[in-house]
Amino acid sequence: MYVCSCFGVTEAQVKKHVDAGACTPRQIASACKAGTDCGGCVRRIQALLGRGDCPRRELLDQRQEPVVASVARPALSDAA
């Protein structure tokens, strides 16, 4: 079954890219162009991606603050 009729991308092709590690519609688009023309297939691609083992934004937001944020910043001098 075709997921993207603009570029002739099938459901099997999308699943192959998912199996290869694609987690987002943008990654699918980079792999096979699906979703980059009319956009009508993006919801179908999202449905195929489901809720697999890929990290979600909520998980990324729960991480500790980046190391660079904990580095002390030099004080501004009054000379300026």
Side-chain angles (χ1 to χ4, degrees):
M1 170 180 214
Y2 283 100
V3 172
C4 176
S5 56
C6 294
F7 293 104
V9 179
T10 65
E11 187 172 316
Q13 288 171 304
V14 171
K15 287 181 180 180
K16 181 182 97 177
H17 293 301
V18 170
D19 291 342
C23 299
T24 64
R26 185 173 294 200
Q27 290 172 336
I28 296 293
S30 293
C32 63
K33 294 188 180 181
T36 62
D37 195 23
C38 77
C41 59
V42 173
R43 288 186 185 256
R44 180 67 183 140
I45 292 168
Q46 289 171 330
L48 289 170
L49 290 169
R51 293 192 178 268
D53 295 331
C54 296
R56 299 286 181 223
R57 179 161 301 282
E58 303 86 46
L59 296 176
L60 293 173
D61 290 341
Q62 291 174 4
R63 292 190 321 190
Q64 296 177 358
E65 66 181 82
V67 174
V68 287
S70 64
V71 174
R73 296 181 186 199
L76 296 174
S77 67
D78 292 329

